[in-house]
Amino acid sequence: MSQTLPEPTSNAAAISDDHQLSRQLSLRDLVLSQVLTVVGSSWVGLAAGLGHAQTLVWIFSFAVLYAPMAVIVYYLNREMPLEGGLYVWARRAFGDTAGFLIAWNIWAYGLFVIAFLLFQLPSEFSFMIGPSAAWIPDSHYVVLPTLAILLAALALTAVRGLALGKWIHNISGTAMMTAFALLIAAPFWAYFHHLPIHYTPFELHLPSHDPTSLALIGQIIFAASGLEYIAIMAGESKSPSRNIGLSIIIASPIIIIMFILGTASVLAFHELTHSTINYIAPIPQTLRLAFGDNALGTFFARLVIFLLQIRILGAASFIFTGVTRLPMTAGWDHLIPEWFSRLHPRYRTPTNSVLFSSIFIASLIVLGSAGAHAAQAFNLLNNASNEFYSLAYLAMFAIPLVGAKLLRNRIPLWVAALSAVGFLATLFTFFLNAYPFDTGTPPLPFAVKIVVVTLIVNAVGYAFYRLRNKPKPQSKNMTPSF
């Protein structure tokens, strides 16, 4: 059991202020960022793949992972509203090594997610324009310069700080809610036009017991994760001990409605038209099915793709912000070189961390574009990124159970019980994430590759930590001081 003790809560604000960060995020910004981070457009397609069991699976996932996540983030942030979020919580609960590895896994997850999000944009753009733009995603002469410009824009925005970045995140969160509003309204449009649609968002059916359904369930359980990510920027939030918890309370019903009603719309229109669900772009596909393959349907489909592109850019910007803050806070704690913690003299942002993360993401983009074998390596790393995030969640849920005693004593027993549920649910998804939900991928080789990549990435992180933080030998001839 860890004997690492958390610093007193009363010192939290002073600790953050010592690093002179600019507090930019209001409650409104936090709520919109929660929606932006948690809600992804592809999840409603994956959940619709479960058929009419989707509502029961969503309710189950909210009960076993989302609710424990929301409660534990609320309490841990209240105790330690510090820049770094989960990294700081884990370090105070389990010590430097565990804290560093948690930050390493979140950082690796964020880098691969950003690269993947940027890779989506050329395909989304070509889908929005139509068949005449189908050549764009395969053209390196268009894709690589475009992604380079977008990455440079993300880096410059990160250097400028949340005074600018929060508006990008707010607009993106609003765009995401607008896209879902159109999706949720589509069945009522169908009813008004007397289409024989079977829209039943609150039916409760048990899912199938086949391996594909279980893999989809594992995906859906972890779909609503991400509430803790905003805590990485607690030092840049106004009244973080109050507002981050309040943002969870406000955003949660919005998130739940978007997921359940959005999935029901996707399922209803695909049953009506007997079409196959497009797991990559289920919302534009559903709106085209809803409004017809005519001028109106094309307009709404293109509008939603445009809104989702805004969401992708905003999500990439938000995750990038968190990715650059983790090395900064680890540098404050002297776990990595303090070079990562140097702040811009005017904007108070970690410019060196921004530069380093940008170079790493650029390398991933090049890897994903450098031929078939490199693309397979990129896809494998991207698939394994969910395992990195799952490891971080396992540590988060373990804090009230086996973390530092002084911290555990300040967390109610019922929160610890919920954390045990969340830990088991995360462990379940950790194993299911190694199973492909598409029937065309051989399960065993896929699982072996995911497990090996996860182990290698963590071994590299641990080796880096040990090289950087070697135990200092004590001198045998030390003269005692009085």
Side-chain angles (χ1 to χ4, degrees):
M1 184 178 296
S2 173
Q3 298 299 316
T4 302
L5 302 179
E7 297 184 24
T9 305
S10 59
N11 293 336
I15 293 170
S16 292
D17 289 339
D18 284 345
H19 299 295
Q20 300 178 341
L21 297 173
S22 177
R23 294 188 180 273
Q24 295 287 343
L25 300 177
S26 65
L27 177 60
R28 177 201 59 197
D29 305 323
L30 296 173
V31 171
L32 288 171
S33 293
Q34 296 286 26
V35 174
L36 176 66
T37 309
V38 175
V39 181
S41 60
S42 63
W43 297 119
V44 292
L46 292 173
L50 292 165
H52 291 278
Q54 65 93 7
T55 303
L56 187 62
V57 172
W58 275 123
I59 293 173
F60 177 74
S61 70
F62 291 137
V64 301
L65 191 127
Y66 187 88
M69 170 186 62
V71 170
I72 191 60
V73 170
Y74 179 92
Y75 275 92
L76 289 177
N77 176 77
R78 190 179 68 173
E79 295 295 330
M80 295 172 282
L82 301 172
E83 190 82 355
L86 180 50
Y87 153 69
V88 175
W89 306 340
R91 179 173 174 266
R92 300 285 170 83
F94 302 119
D96 288 349
T97 304
F100 174 82
L101 287 176
I102 295 309
W104 178 269
N105 276 278
I106 299 173
W107 184 73
Y109 162 81
L111 293 175
F112 289 112
V113 167
I114 294 166
F116 177 73
L117 287 172
L118 293 178
F119 259 117
Q120 282 184 294
L121 287 170
S123 296
E124 294 276 351
F125 179 78
S126 66
F127 192 42
M128 181 180 71
I129 298 300
S132 61
W135 59 274
I136 290 178
D138 296 323
S139 174
H140 290 344
Y141 298 105
V142 174
V143 171
L144 290 179
T146 300
L147 296 186
I149 292 171
L150 292 175
L151 181 57
L154 289 181
L156 291 173
T157 302
V159 170
R160 179 61 179 83
L162 287 169
L164 172 62
K166 68 179 182 180
W167 294 109
I168 298 174
H169 307 155
N170 290 349
I171 292 171
S172 302
T174 303
M176 192 63 172
M177 288 192 289
T178 303
F180 266 80
L182 289 171
L183 177 66
I184 293 170
F188 300 98
W189 167 277
Y191 280 134
F192 181 76
H193 287 81
H194 309 290
L195 294 177
I197 190 171
H198 184 61
Y199 177 66
T200 53
F202 303 112
E203 278 188 332
L204 300 178
H205 292 274
L206 291 173
S208 301
H209 297 86
D210 58 276
T212 300
S213 294
L214 286 176
L216 284 171
I217 291 171
Q219 293 280 326
I220 298 309
I221 288 176
F222 212 65
S225 60
L227 282 178
E228 88 300 330
Y229 200 87
I230 190 65
I232 294 176
M233 289 155 266
E236 296 164 271
S237 304
K238 299 175 182 177
S239 303
S241 60
R242 170 187 176 273
N243 283 348
I244 290 179
L246 194 54
S247 74
I248 293 173
I249 295 172
I250 296 172
S252 290
I254 299 172
I255 291 168
I256 292 170
I257 289 171
M258 290 172 71
F259 274 133
I260 292 179
L261 299 188
T263 303
S265 293
V266 173
L267 179 61
F269 283 103
H270 283 81
E271 287 187 336
L272 175 65
T273 58
H274 304 287
S275 55
T276 302
I277 298 172
N278 185 329
Y279 287 142
I280 297 175
I283 299 179
Q285 182 195 28
T286 299
L287 291 182
R288 192 178 291 275
L289 294 175
F291 299 108
D293 194 14
N294 50 36
L296 183 62
T298 300
F299 169 77
F300 277 117
R302 289 180 174 176
L303 173 62
V304 167
I305 293 172
F306 176 70
L307 293 173
L308 294 180
Q309 286 181 305
I310 294 175
R311 182 263 169 186
I312 289 172
L313 284 172
S317 172
F318 183 76
I319 296 172
F320 188 83
T321 302
V323 158
T324 61
R325 271 41 175 189
L326 289 170
M328 176 185 73
T329 51
W332 287 343
D333 296 326
H334 309 292
L335 301 184
I336 62 175
E338 293 185 14
W339 179 85
F340 288 96
S341 299
R342 294 177 187 170
L343 301 181
H344 190 282
R346 178 181 177 185
Y347 301 125
R348 314 308 298 166
T349 53
T351 51
N352 291 338
S353 182
V354 170
L355 174 63
F356 183 80
S357 299
S358 300
I359 293 172
F360 207 105
I361 294 169
S363 301
L364 290 175
I365 290 174
V366 172
L367 176 65
S369 304
H373 293 294
Q376 290 174 4
F378 171 81
N379 289 333
L380 181 61
L381 290 166
N382 181 66
N383 289 335
S385 65
N386 284 332
E387 301 291 64
F388 306 152
Y389 209 26
S390 296
L391 289 173
Y393 264 59
L394 288 172
M396 180 178 72
F397 286 126
I399 291 173
L401 303 174
V402 294
K405 186 175 181 180
L406 286 183
L407 178 57
R408 285 188 284 117
N409 288 344
R410 294 205 295 266
I411 297 177
L413 286 177
W414 68 271
V415 176
L418 266 181
S419 295
V421 175
F423 184 91
L424 293 175
T426 304
L427 192 63
F428 176 72
T429 62
F430 178 80
F431 289 111
L432 282 185
N433 280 339
Y435 189 94
F437 60 82
D438 59 298
T439 57
T441 303
L444 184 58
F446 180 86
V448 170
K449 290 176 182 178
I450 294 297
V451 171
V452 169
V453 168
T454 304
L455 290 174
I456 289 175
V457 169
N458 278 273
V460 170
Y462 181 75
F464 173 78
Y465 173 81
R466 295 312 305 174
L467 289 172
R468 169 70 187 173
N469 299 276
K470 292 181 179 179
K472 296 180 180 179
Q474 295 184 353
S475 174
K476 294 181 179 180
N477 299 318
M478 290 180 63
T479 303
S481 57
F482 299 95

